[in-house]
Amino acid sequence: MKHERPGIELSGQPLGFAEMVRIGSGRVALSASATGMARVEIARSVVEEAIQAGIPVYGSTTGVGAMKDVEWSAEELDTFNLGLVRAHHFGTGTPFSTAVVRNAMAIRVNTALTGQVGCTPELIETYLRLLRADLIPLVRRTGSIGCADIGLMGQIGAVLTGVGEAVYRGKRMQAADAFRAAGLEPVTMAPRDSLASLSINAVSFAAAAEATRNAAASIRVLLATGMMAAGALGASRDPWRAVRHVGTPREALIGSWLCNASDAWEWPVATHVQDPLSLRMIAQVFGAVIENLLSTGHKILAATGRSDDNPVVVEGRVMTSGGSLPLDVTILLESAALCMAHAARNAFNRCVLLGNGQRRDLPVNLVPPGRIATGFGPIIKLAGEIFSRVLSMSNPVSAQSLVVAAGLEDEAAFLPLVIERFERQMQALKRLAALEALLAAQAADILGDRPEGVAGMIYDVVRKHADFYTVDRPLSTEVEAIEEELGSDEFASKLIEQVPIAAFDDFFALGSLERIERRLTQDTLVI
């Protein structure tokens, strides 16, 4: 018996993180709502009426960019529209994941279903056919200045016409071979379809969604390792209790989580009057970070349900538009990158406190008493390098000046570059969390602590990959193994089950795909 995949119907309404995780996995079948397709047909009729009336339509009957004043005859349109997408297949570098490309294609379909694009219904069906067949264009990630992903979406558009590269059922091949293997035919681009397939920011929005969700998961782990390190250092929990009464709503949320997550542990206290700020102000730092991530996430989701094309169909006319500049998403992501630097500094400061000794009579570099070793001194330097790395990628780039296309295109957001830097920050933060966990576990063992609950979970991961440190040894592979497990969706699921932050965890659909689908089933049952 053939097993039917569960489905998601796109309607033009914004997508959610849970939907994008499922779409990116390739385990759901996508369709377009009848209402959305009716809007597509109405918008298409407006475009065709304009063309038949001899009204120039940008990118349909005219050239683009510096060639905007070049008008094509009816006999030239097929050649122009085919060449337009192929000319914009110019991306280079490492490809995006197939998950990002699947979501980019779904976003393109979804935003067209608003009825503001003017493409043909056939173009929508072509995207959906490729997704159903698991024929996913290969999209190299360098090729957009962040004012429509022309060099990124162009790679998808070119594959629709049968050129370029694609991944078919997990295997990379030429687009023509992929179409033959899937039993599909390339599309013939009608006027407006070519520009509609490339002059939008769908790849950036899909990549921004993935990066922001990954950031949310990384921050969840870093918060947990921070709580464990605070315990190993004997920090007072009073500031966490106090912030529930005097802090912002997000700070109070984090303060509550810190108290709840540490309740399972027989908490050691070594505070005299008050602690260093890196311990006292964990709730303030992480409260600001999650506030920003939630704002960024909401902004990205809103972008998945609106047309950022040029031109657009509104008020029964084809109008030129400036919607292709995604500055709102870009600026929030750059703010998120600055937040990551604060989170990294907070964690690095605790690593230094652990390595310095003194608190709770911990030895310098966490070398056990009576042992001859250098200990974790070099690891503290690594933590410092990682913090500096995160900080160096927090400087904004979106306000750079750039003028192209004969002066017509003089604004850009550089969103793909901002996303790439943000992703690199996340990789660094995951490693910093692994270092903090390793140091906290060493301190706990020296002191004879028995971490429980969330701290116990982290301790078990550390000791699974790294023994108690008594003699100097290479640590590189141990750190990487700890990082990989702490950064996994499976560990995130366990962490959430232990002590959730529901408003955060569920919004970003954190954890494994199985957890996400289980939550969706539970929500359906509640409804």
Side-chain angles (χ1 to χ4, degrees):
M1 179 180 290
K2 184 178 179 181
H3 177 67
E4 293 293 332
R5 292 184 293 171
I8 291 178
E9 184 180 76
L10 302 175
S11 65
Q13 292 299 307
L15 301 172
F17 281 98
E19 289 174 300
M20 283 193 279
V21 172
R22 296 170 67 210
I23 291 168
S25 73
R27 288 166 54 172
V28 295
L30 293 183
S31 61
S33 71
T35 303
M37 289 302 290
R39 288 193 290 265
V40 170
E41 291 172 357
I42 292 171
R44 182 61 191 176
S45 68
V46 173
V47 171
E48 290 181 348
E49 287 170 7
I51 293 173
Q52 290 169 7
I55 299 172
V57 178
Y58 178 77
S60 297
T61 62
T62 77
V64 297
M67 298 181 67
K68 68 180 179 65
D69 294 321
V70 176
E71 294 191 40
W72 309 106
S73 68
E75 294 74 24
E76 295 169 326
L77 286 181
D78 285 346
T79 301
F80 165 69
N81 281 285
L82 179 64
L84 183 62
V85 286
R86 293 183 174 183
H88 286 84
H89 188 306
F90 60 79
T92 59
T94 305
F96 285 102
S97 67
T98 53
V100 166
V101 181
R102 286 189 186 102
N103 274 307
M105 296 169 73
I107 291 170
R108 168 66 292 183
V109 169
N110 198 52
T111 55
L113 294 175
T114 62
Q116 296 171 331
V117 176
C119 64
T120 64
E122 290 74 21
L123 182 66
I124 301 299
E125 290 297 341
T126 299
Y127 278 104
L128 294 175
R129 277 197 298 273
L130 264 61
L131 286 165
R132 294 186 195 112
D134 197 24
L135 196 165
I136 310 302
L138 187 84
V139 180
R140 298 166 178 83
R141 66 181 308 147
T142 305
S144 169
I145 61 175
C147 188
D149 290 333
I150 55 175
L152 307 180
M153 289 300 296
Q155 296 174 67
I156 299 176
V159 167
L160 300 185
T161 70
V163 299
E165 290 182 275
V167 178
Y168 177 59
R169 296 185 176 178
K171 185 178 179 181
R172 180 171 171 173
M173 62 183 72
Q174 292 297 309
D177 295 333
F179 272 94
R180 279 193 292 270
L184 299 176
E185 292 293 329
V187 68
T188 299
M189 290 286 180
R192 183 70 188 102
D193 282 355
S194 289
L195 194 59
S197 68
L198 61 91
S199 187
I200 50 172
N201 294 288
V203 173
S204 285
F205 292 148
E210 181 178 80
T212 306
R213 178 175 178 266
N214 287 340
S218 299
I219 285 299
R220 281 293 266 121
V221 174
L222 197 63
L223 175 62
T225 60
M227 181 274 295
M228 181 183 179
L233 289 163
S236 170
R237 294 193 294 172
D238 281 352
W240 305 345
R241 297 186 180 99
V243 78
R244 295 181 298 181
H245 302 279
V246 300
T248 69
R250 301 304 183 197
E251 292 169 357
L253 182 68
I254 297 302
S256 295
W257 186 89
L258 289 166
C259 290
N260 294 335
S262 58
D263 276 343
W265 189 357
E266 188 175 339
W267 193 261
V269 178
T271 297
H272 178 65
V273 184
Q274 65 180 12
D275 295 314
L277 296 175
S278 59
L279 303 177
R280 279 192 285 139
M281 295 189 173
I282 294 176
Q284 283 78 6
V285 171
F286 282 84
V289 172
I290 71 162
E291 177 74 32
N292 172 273
L293 287 176
L294 287 167
S295 297
T296 304
H298 280 291
K299 186 64 70 176
I300 293 168
L301 295 187
T304 68
R306 62 176 174 82
S307 169
D308 60 341
D309 291 77
N310 177 38
V312 292
V313 178
V314 292
E315 299 180 5
R317 290 174 49 208
V318 182
M319 296 187 186
T320 187
S321 168
S324 55
L325 183 69
L327 199 55
D328 54 351
V329 171
T330 304
I331 289 174
L332 277 172
L333 266 180
E334 288 187 317
S335 298
L338 181 59
C339 286
M340 297 306 121
H342 283 277
R345 181 181 64 186
N346 188 233
F348 170 61
N349 287 340
R350 287 189 297 272
C351 290
V352 171
L353 289 174
L354 285 164
N356 282 349
Q358 301 177 26
R359 287 189 66 91
R360 299 185 70 194
D361 296 322
L362 282 168
V364 174
N365 289 348
L366 298 177
V367 176
R371 299 288 182 168
I372 300 173
T374 298
F376 288 93
I379 283 290
I380 307 300
K381 292 183 175 65
L382 174 58
E385 194 275 350
I386 291 172
F387 161 60
S388 296
R389 185 179 293 265
V390 174
L391 179 62
S392 72
M393 289 181 281
S394 66
N395 294 324
V397 298
S398 64
Q400 293 182 85
S401 178
L402 182 74
V403 180
V404 294
L408 285 171
E409 298 173 9
D410 53 2
E411 291 288 344
F414 300 97
L415 179 54
L417 177 58
V418 171
I419 294 167
E420 185 174 332
R421 284 154 49 100
F422 193 52
E423 290 170 342
R424 290 167 61 193
Q425 281 187 315
M426 292 315 103
Q427 294 169 358
L429 281 182
K430 289 177 181 179
R431 185 146 300 169
L432 190 56
L435 297 181
E436 186 172 31
L438 179 62
L439 294 169
Q442 179 75 5
D445 282 344
I446 290 173
L447 296 165
D449 293 341
R450 293 292 177 265
E452 300 290 343
V454 170
M457 288 169 48
I458 296 171
Y459 176 88
D460 290 343
V461 170
V462 172
R463 288 293 169 245
K464 175 181 174 181
H465 301 290
D467 293 332
F468 178 61
Y469 198 102
T470 56
V471 297
D472 291 328
R473 66 174 191 262
L475 292 173
S476 301
T477 56
E478 295 177 8
V479 169
E480 290 170 352
I482 295 167
E483 172 193 342
E484 182 176 0
E485 185 161 349
L486 290 180
S488 68
D489 285 341
E490 290 69 28
F491 183 82
S493 295
K494 294 176 184 177
L495 178 60
I496 292 166
E497 288 169 6
Q498 276 277 333
V499 187
I501 307 177
F504 189 73
D505 302 332
D506 291 342
F507 174 72
F508 283 109
L510 299 184
S512 65
L513 181 60
E514 288 69 24
R515 177 187 178 275
I516 294 166
E517 291 178 334
R518 187 166 62 250
R519 286 288 300 165
L520 289 171
T521 301
Q522 291 169 352
D523 290 344
T524 301
L525 291 175
V526 170
I527 292 171

